[in-house]
């Protein structure tokens, strides 16, 4: 079912394809056609490193712009927003920021479409908040929500505004 989300400037593609449970696994397809499923820890670590170059909260605030415009389907206006946001980063960071924001956008949509998910895209926002704002290590943020009830996480997220 390989559905294109976005062609990237680094000659990669972000796509949805068949996963263990549904057709919404997010993959990166390299220029040579090889592909890999991404680990959340990978993009959280990269974004944390990049965030240190910019004003506090820039990366997080840019993510929130994308988050707030995310719904159940891919939107060309949100993809254009990602391109616009990417242009505000240093040249050396633009391609990786575009890649990770596109991957996160695809994951946000997948979360919104997951029938069994109660918190939907909010757990992704929590992980980004923990890493980019609180400085929590990516590995800890990725596992923070695991095993917790939705109501317990909701109590954490509600005062943060999401």
């Amino acid at each position: 079912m390989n559905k294109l989300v976005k062609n990237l400037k680094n000659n990669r593609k972000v796509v949805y394809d068949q996963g263990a449970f549904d057709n919404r696994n997010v993959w990166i397809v390299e220029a040579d056609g090889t592909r890999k499923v991404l680990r959340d820890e990978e993009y959280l670590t990269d974004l944390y490193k990049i965030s240190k170059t910019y004003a506090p909260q820039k990366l997080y605030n840019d993510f929130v712009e994308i988050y707030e415009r995310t719904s159940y389907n891919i939107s060309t206006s949100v993809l254009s927003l990602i391109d616009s946001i990417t242009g505000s980063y240093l040249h050396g960071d633009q391609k990786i920021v575009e890649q990770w924001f596109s991957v996160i956008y695809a994951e946000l949509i997948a979360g919104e479409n997951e029938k069994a998910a109660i918190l939907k895209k909010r757990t992704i926002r929590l992980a980004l908040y923990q890493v980019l704002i609180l400085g929590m290590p990516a590995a800890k943020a990725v596992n923070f929500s695991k095993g917790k009830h939705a109501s317990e996480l909701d109590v954490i997220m509600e005062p943060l505004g999401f």
Side-chain angles (χ1 to χ4, degrees), residues 16-31:
Y16 287 122
D17 206 351
Q18 185 66 43
F21 303 107
D22 59 21
N23 291 329
R24 293 253 183 205
N25 268 20
V26 180
W27 298 78
I28 288 276
V29 179
E30 300 288 342

Side-chain angles (χ1 to χ4, degrees), residues 5-6 8 14 26 28 43 47 50 57-67 70 78-79 81-89 93-108 128 132:
V5 175
K6 190 172 192 313
L8 303 172
V14 177
V26 180
I28 288 276
Y43 70 70
L47 291 175
I50 291 167
Q57 296 196 328
K58 175 177 176 29
L59 225 97
Y60 180 74
N61 291 341
D62 288 344
F63 156 74
V64 170
E65 272 195 76
I66 296 163
Y67 175 91
T70 299
V78 177
L79 295 175
L81 174 63
I82 291 170
D83 290 338
S84 175
I85 287 170
T86 299
S88 71
Y89 288 85
D93 294 333
Q94 289 179 1
K95 290 180 182 179
I96 196 70
V97 170
E98 178 203 25
Q99 174 178 297
W100 292 138
F101 276 176
S102 299
V103 165
I104 293 166
Y105 176 56
E107 287 191 352
L108 291 169
L128 279 153
L132 297 176

Side-chain angles (χ1 to χ4, degrees), residues 123-134:
T123 54
I124 295 170
R125 184 169 177 177
L126 178 61
L128 279 153
Y129 181 86
Q130 290 170 322
V131 170
L132 297 176
I133 303 302
L134 301 179

Side-chain angles (χ1 to χ4, degrees), residues 107-123:
E107 287 191 352
L108 291 169
I109 294 169
E112 287 299 280
N113 283 286
E114 191 176 324
K115 290 176 180 34
I118 296 169
L119 298 171
K120 308 250 179 214
K121 65 185 182 181
R122 293 171 65 204
T123 54

